[in-house]
Amino acid sequence: TGNYKMKKIILTIATLSSLVFADEYRLKQIVGYDINPKVNTQIADHQLFGLSLSKKVNDNTFSTLELGLLQSGSNEYNRTRIYTLASQIYINGVKEFPLTDNLKFHCLVGLGYELLSNQKFNNKTNPFINYGVGLSYTFKNNLSLIVEGKYQLKDDLDSSLIYSIGLSIPLNSYSKNKGK
């Protein structure tokens, strides 16, 4: 567990240090739920929380690149009283499609890595791919409410559905409005 804790500390430091250099970035606070189909995994469905940092890009393929961290609470292996924590780091490319001035539909695709603190019953720390869709609504103060659904597929054919809601905050608003 010492190696697991060290990885979490390094990831937290890297995420926080990136905020110092943020200019045209958005920070998203995430709350969600992970539904495991129970075909290849023994981990019960569970809540998630996390943060992501995104930046607009001038690219025909993606509108935004997003680096994120999701953390579960203590998850029980089904009916065993054995628990594990799941931490995920990921990078997604997001393509936005405006529906109105304030409402956008988006698609995403990405790669990530899931760390399990207690690997039991053939559940392992694994890389994964994910893809999904979502809607975002931007308010007058430039805050956005985001609802997403993602499908994850891990290299051992374990899969899950993640539903989340998040609040996205522009990090450059304070610096732009400070001089006014």
Side-chain angles (χ1 to χ4, degrees), residues 145-157:
L145 182 64
I146 300 170
V147 178
E148 286 182 340
K150 293 190 284 193
Y151 178 78
Q152 288 186 341
L153 180 63
K154 298 168 182 113
D155 74 350
D156 62 358
L157 299 181

Side-chain angles (χ1 to χ4, degrees), residues 11 14-15 18 51-55 65-69 89-92:
L11 181 60
T15 302
S18 68
L51 292 172
S52 74
L53 184 66
S54 62
K55 181 176 186 349
L65 291 179
E66 173 184 48
L67 174 65
L69 173 67
I89 183 170
Y90 60 88
I91 186 164
N92 289 331

